[in-house]
């Protein structure tokens, strides 16, 4: 059993910043890659950013230079620093984590947070 708890979403004006966080809890043995996805109304869920356990990152072209993903392995937490927000960033943002638990050692599970709304006004 793994839970991902997100925080930091909200309503901001264009040009402002938000910092999302997502903490994983449960009987976690290993956390592998972690990431953020988003889904806007009428759109498919899309990748925003990922980060491996050693710090290698990927970003969607639409957020490069504005968003930064990082993680604190000691806290089982992944962050998304969102700067220079634009109205087109408005979406529900979902945390994702690939985890091996003590119950299922040797098998990777894919876990999702509940989603947090980010709304950017023009």
């Amino acid at each position: 059993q793994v839970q991902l708890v997100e925080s930091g979403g909200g309503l901001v004006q264009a040009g402002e910043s938000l910092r999302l966080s997502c903490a994983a809890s449960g009987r976690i043995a290993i956390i592998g890659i972690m990431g953020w996805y988003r889904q806007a109304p009428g759109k498919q869920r899309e990748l925003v950013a990922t980060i491996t356990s050693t710090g290698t990152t990927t970003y969607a072209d639409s957020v490069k230079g504005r968003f930064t993903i990082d993680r604190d392995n000691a806290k089982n937490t992944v962050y998304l620093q969102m700067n220079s927000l634009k109205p087109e960033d408005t979406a529900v943002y979902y945390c994702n984590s690939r985890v091996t638990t003590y119950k299922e050692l040797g098998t990777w599970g894919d876990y999702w947070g509940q989603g947090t709304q980010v709304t950017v006004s023009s």
Side-chain angles (χ1 to χ4, degrees), residues 14-82:
E16 295 183 336
S17 298
L18 284 173
R19 184 170 174 83
L20 307 182
S21 64
C22 173
S25 62
R27 292 189 58 79
I28 298 169
I30 303 171
I31 299 179
I33 194 167
M34 306 181 80
W36 291 92
Y37 294 72
R38 67 186 182 186
Q39 188 166 22
K43 299 292 187 69
Q44 287 188 271
R45 189 172 299 185
E46 65 174 351
L47 172 70
V48 177
T50 65
I51 183 167
T52 69
S53 60
T54 55
T56 300
T57 59
T58 65
Y59 295 94
D61 288 342
S62 59
V63 307
K64 286 181 179 177
R66 299 188 298 118
F67 291 10
T68 302
I69 187 171
D70 56 55
R71 63 191 286 168
D72 186 335
N73 290 331
K75 296 181 178 180
N76 291 339
T77 300
V78 63
Y79 306 92
L80 185 67
Q81 180 66 44
M82 309 166 68

